[in-house]
Structure formats: C-alpha cells, structure tokens
Amino acid sequence: MFQRFYPSEYYESAYEIDYSSYYDKGYRGILFDVDNTLVEHDQPVTRQAIELFDRLKDIGFKTCIISNNKDYRVKPLADTLKSQYVYKAGKPSAKGYEKGMEYMGTTPDTTFFVGDQIFTDVWGANRAGIHSILVKQIAEHEEIQIVLKRKLEHIIMYEYKKKVGKSQPNH
C-alpha cells in the first residue's frame, strides 16, 4: 500500500553517504533537495555542504539542486555550491527531476536523489524512476504543514523498516 512512498535507501544524513560507491555503480548525477537535507531551512550554505559538493565534483559527479522554493532562495545556494538548480520544481511531480537530469545530461539509470521528505522528495523521485535516498531532516523545528506531514511519514517509515529490516546499511 505504501510502497510508492518507500525510499530505495535510508541514511541518517546526506553527509554520511558513501558517494564513491554510487559512482562505482555507474551513477553520474545527483539531485539534491536543499532545506533540511543539505542545510537547515532558510539558512545559508554551510562549510560542510561546500566541502561535500567539492568532493562530489572531484569524484566526477554532476549535481543539481531541485527545490519547491523560489529562485531567490535556491540560486544563491546553488551558485555557492557551483551546482545546477531547478526552483519551483513542483515536487512530487516528476517534471523537476526530469529537468534536473536534462541539465546534468543524465538519465534515470545514472541519477539518484537525496532528500528529507517522503511525500515530496522521495515520492517525486520514485515517480521519475530515480533511485531515491531518504535522509533524516537536519533540524527538528519546521513549519507546521511539514510537522503534520512528518507524523504520516513515521507511519510509512515504520512499515518500510519492517519490510526492509536490517538489509540496508546505515538505516
């Protein structure tokens, strides 16, 4: 029943993923959510995010930030990270993911997504046919509409963890 919302994988943080292993598996592009995935909501880019994106480029990855936020929020972050970006992506629609892949010159088979929300990020990536990685949100304090969605996410993650069990690393 909930499978369309299940991530392909789950990690505690976007900063704990072994990105080199994904490159070795043939992935060449990474789509990222921003708020509460890479940085706290409405906060500027951190040194940690800059170092991650520098490392990803050294590995050989192309990156694209896809966000439902407006250009004035996403562009400065993407510029600092030297990344492509899609604002007002319309997640969970597949269109923003497809546009990001077009910018990177990748396909669903060579792209994966990293985000912190099931009903926008993961569901959208799944709809676009992309490997989806769910990470725990960075900050616990969020807008009320997101807090309400998180309660539903707990139900889905409970079922997901029962199904997946211990077969995944870092969850």
Side-chain angles (χ1 to χ4, degrees):
M1 176 175 166
F2 295 127
Q3 272 106 354
R4 69 177 153 219
F5 300 115
Y6 289 170
S8 304
E9 297 182 80
Y10 174 73
Y11 286 83
E12 287 294 311
S13 167
Y15 298 102
E16 294 179 6
I17 297 170
D18 178 4
Y19 291 98
S20 294
S21 71
Y22 289 92
Y23 194 85
D24 293 344
K25 292 175 188 173
Y27 290 99
R28 296 299 179 259
I30 309 170
L31 298 170
F32 281 97
D33 175 53
V34 176
D35 288 319
N36 259 342
T37 297
L38 294 172
V39 298
E40 287 189 37
H41 190 76
D42 285 334
Q43 295 301 306
V45 173
T46 62
R47 168 71 36 214
Q48 186 180 31
I50 293 168
E51 290 170 359
L52 172 62
F53 274 66
D54 286 347
R55 193 168 80 243
L56 294 173
K57 283 174 186 48
D58 288 345
I59 293 170
F61 279 112
K62 293 180 181 175
T63 61
C64 184
I65 293 168
I66 63 169
S67 175
N68 285 347
N69 223 317
K70 295 181 176 124
D71 188 56
Y72 69 81
R73 167 67 177 149
V74 184
K75 183 180 182 347
L77 295 164
D79 287 351
T80 301
L81 297 172
K82 300 178 188 100
S83 180
Q84 298 280 350
Y85 72 98
V86 177
Y87 68 96
K88 288 188 177 178
K91 296 183 285 183
S93 168
K95 289 180 181 173
Y97 299 82
E98 291 163 354
K99 191 172 192 179
M101 287 186 287
E102 184 181 321
Y103 287 163
M104 295 186 299
T106 60
T107 66
D109 292 335
T110 60
T111 306
F112 67 97
F113 174 82
V114 180
D116 71 298
Q117 291 190 53
I118 289 174
F119 296 115
T120 51
D121 298 334
V122 170
W123 189 23
N126 291 348
R127 292 173 78 188
I130 300 169
H131 187 85
S132 58
I133 298 178
L134 178 69
V135 295
K136 186 176 178 184
Q137 77 265 24
I138 292 173
E140 295 294 324
H141 304 290
E142 298 178 297
E143 297 171 354
I144 188 65
Q145 70 271 18
I146 296 174
V147 171
L148 295 173
K149 283 196 283 185
R150 294 277 186 212
K151 298 212 181 285
L152 295 172
E153 287 182 354
H154 288 301
I155 295 166
I156 290 172
M157 286 307 291
Y158 174 79
E159 292 297 322
Y160 168 79
K161 288 177 180 179
K162 272 190 353 189
K163 178 182 180 267
V164 173
K166 299 281 183 201
S167 66
Q168 284 192 307
N170 300 321
H171 76 264

